[in-house]
């Protein structure tokens, strides 16, 4: 048994070769602090370490448990965030939304941010860590909020990102106003067939009624009550949803911009609150 044969078992199970090698790298670094430099120097794992590696790979193969849940961490915008099956695994696409928020905060010296459906807290924490703004993250899941609190402690920004249990705006006070409301809400229509890996993620954070638009509509309807004058509403959106979300926003928002991801898919929708 060797690292190479264990990697081959992943490939044989249908994991794409480059992805299999990356996942083995993640396992080695997380569980054994074994790096590419160690490999280049010919350093070998002990038999016990190889057995542990094989056990983790067997779990990955058996039911396609995402590697991030196996190691309990996911990489997002330069940081490792704690993840459990109670939260979504951060995706590269979400970095587009977060970078847009950071750019707006820096450009306009914005101070108060609301992150709806915060999950692991990766959006809230990244914004707080990279700007001078303070962020309130809300989520309906107590389990998700516990993960978010662990992440904010890990990044040492406890006074900059705070969390509250709330079903959308339910526990947000009427006197609380925000320069930006940002959200990556559930947007997959019920009945959509998911990849096996995605099926391990929390359904409450994946699916929404109204063909995936329910949560967007609810946020869009209430957001004007909680935004400062000229404040921004920012969404990550699902495939083929951008035009409909833009249309929902047009009554109360202007300067609505849709941005594509690297695959050419409309991925974010950002608008600014009209004067009232």
């Amino acid at each position: 048994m060797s690292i190479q044969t264990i990697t081959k078992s992943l490939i044989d199970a249908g994991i794409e070769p480059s992805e299999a090698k990356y996942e083995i790298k993640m396992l080695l670094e997380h569980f054994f602090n074994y790096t590419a430099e160690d490999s280049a120097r010919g350093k070998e794992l002990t038999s016990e370490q190889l057995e542990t590696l094989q056990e983790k790979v067997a779990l990955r193969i058996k039911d396609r448990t995402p590697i991030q849940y196996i190691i309990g961490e996911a990489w997002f915008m330069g940081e490792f965030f704690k993840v459990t099956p109670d939260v979504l695994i951060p995706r590269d696409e979400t970095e587009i939304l977060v970078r847009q928020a950071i750019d707006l905060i820096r450009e306009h010296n914005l101070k108060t941010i609301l992150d709806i459906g915060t999950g692991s807290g990766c959006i809230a924490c990244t914004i707080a860590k990279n700007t001078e703004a303070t962020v309130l993250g809300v989520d309906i899941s107590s389990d998700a909020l516990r993960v978010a609190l662990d992440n904010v402690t890990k990044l040492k920004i406890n006074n900059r990102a705070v969390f509250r249990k709330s079903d959308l705006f339910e526990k947000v006070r009427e006197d609380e106003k925000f320069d930006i409301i940002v959200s990556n809400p559930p947007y997959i229509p019920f009945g959509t067939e998911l990849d096996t890996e995605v099926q391990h993620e929390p359904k409450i954070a994946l699916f929404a009624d109204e063909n995936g638009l329910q949560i967007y509509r609810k946020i869009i309807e209430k957001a004007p009550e909680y935004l400062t004058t000229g404040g921004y509403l920012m969404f990550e959106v699902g495939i083929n949803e951008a035009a409909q979300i833009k249309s929902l926003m047009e009554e109360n928002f202007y300067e609505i911009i849709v941005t594509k991801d690297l695959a050419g898919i409309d991925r974010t929708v950002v608008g600014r609150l009209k004067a009232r």
Side-chain angles (χ1 to χ4, degrees):
M1 183 169 51
S2 66
I3 294 174
Q4 289 73 25
T5 58
I6 296 173
T7 304
K8 186 176 184 301
S9 69
L10 265 181
I11 298 170
D12 291 343
I15 307 297
E16 198 274 328
S18 61
E19 183 66 20
K21 292 176 183 177
Y22 179 68
E23 292 186 359
I24 292 294
K25 176 178 178 292
M26 293 174 68
L27 291 168
L28 290 171
E29 290 182 354
H30 179 80
F31 289 106
F32 316 120
N33 197 28
Y34 184 93
T35 66
E37 291 183 1
D38 292 323
S39 178
R41 290 199 303 266
K43 181 180 177 181
E44 297 183 354
L45 296 180
T46 66
S47 59
E48 290 81 6
Q49 288 173 327
L50 285 170
E51 287 178 8
T52 299
L53 180 63
Q54 189 174 42
E55 289 172 2
K56 303 302 180 183
V57 167
L59 179 62
R60 176 77 173 103
I61 292 171
K62 179 182 178 182
D63 58 4
R64 285 296 198 272
T65 300
I67 196 71
Q68 292 88 347
Y69 288 155
I70 293 174
I71 68 173
E73 292 181 333
W75 182 254
F76 183 76
M77 288 191 67
E79 299 285 349
F80 276 111
F81 284 84
K82 176 182 177 179
V83 294
T84 73
D86 297 309
V87 300
L88 289 182
I89 297 167
R91 264 84 169 172
D92 292 342
E93 293 86 355
T94 305
E95 293 191 10
I96 300 169
L97 181 70
V98 175
R99 293 185 192 281
Q100 287 178 312
I102 290 171
D103 287 345
L104 284 173
I105 292 165
R106 290 174 174 173
E107 180 180 357
H108 300 288
N109 193 30
L110 304 181
K111 298 297 184 183
T112 54
I113 317 299
L114 175 63
D115 173 25
I116 296 179
T118 196
S120 67
C122 66
I123 292 176
C125 290
T126 304
I127 290 173
K129 188 171 179 64
N130 289 278
T131 72
E132 296 302 313
T134 56
V135 188
L136 170 62
V138 298
D139 204 289
I140 196 172
S141 167
S142 298
D143 293 327
L145 289 172
R146 280 190 281 271
V147 176
L149 287 169
D150 286 342
N151 281 321
V152 82
T153 300
K154 176 178 179 290
L155 295 176
K156 300 178 181 178
I157 49 171
N158 301 63
N159 60 332
R160 302 279 310 291
V162 296
F163 299 100
R164 186 183 305 168
K165 185 174 183 179
S166 179
D167 183 359
L168 304 181
F169 296 98
E170 179 187 24
K171 299 298 182 181
V172 182
R173 299 191 309 272
E174 291 183 1
D175 63 330
E176 291 181 292
K177 304 297 180 183
F178 302 91
D179 297 318
I180 291 177
I181 296 174
V182 60
S183 184
N184 176 21
Y187 56 64
I188 299 174
F190 280 104
T192 302
E193 186 174 343
L194 302 177
D195 291 341
T196 305
E197 282 85 351
V198 181
Q199 293 177 23
H200 289 272
E201 301 190 63
K203 303 299 185 288
I204 193 173
L206 292 171
F207 294 104
D209 282 321
E210 299 178 23
N211 203 30
L213 299 178
Q214 181 189 45
I215 308 303
Y216 292 108
R217 179 183 56 76
K218 288 183 175 183
I219 294 174
I220 290 166
E221 288 176 355
K222 296 288 289 183
E225 301 175 26
Y226 296 92
L227 281 169
T228 56
T229 301
Y232 294 87
L233 180 60
M234 311 182 66
F235 290 119
E236 179 175 330
V237 301
I239 295 173
N240 298 323
E241 293 179 342
Q244 297 172 84
I245 292 165
K246 182 175 183 291
S247 179
L248 289 171
M249 291 175 64
E250 285 174 343
E251 180 178 351
N252 290 311
F253 295 86
Y254 71 109
E255 293 182 358
I256 302 172
I257 297 172
V258 176
T259 302
K260 296 182 183 296
D261 62 21
L262 293 176
I265 297 169
D266 291 338
R267 188 55 67 185
T268 68
V269 180
V270 178
R272 196 169 189 184
L273 183 64
K274 294 178 180 178
R276 291 173 289 176

